Amino acid sequence: MRVVVDKSKCQDHGQCVFAAPDVFRLDDQGRLVHDTEAEEAVRDAIEDAADVCPMQAIRIEG
C-alpha cells in the first residue's frame, strides 16, 4: 500500500511516529520522514497514525 503525507498540512507534531514507528520517524531536524510504501501487516498502525494526526495529513492508497 502507498502511504501519503500532505506536506502542506503536516506540521511535524510526530503523533504518527508513536502510532506507527516502523513507517514514520522524525529526522535530526525534527521533520517528519516516512516510508512511501508499506506492507499490509502495518495497515492498522498506519490507520491509527492517520486518525491521531492533528492536521489530518496522512492517507493510505491501495
Side-chain angles (χ1 to χ4, degrees), residues 29-41:
Q29 288 79 40
R31 304 259 179 193
L32 180 70
V33 292
H34 72 288
D35 299 334
T36 57
E37 297 291 328
E39 298 295 323
E40 190 66 32

Side-chain angles (χ1 to χ4, degrees), residues 10-24:
C10 178
Q11 294 186 357
D12 303 313
H13 291 286
Q15 296 302 308
C16 55
V17 177
F18 296 108
D22 292 335
V23 178
F24 302 95

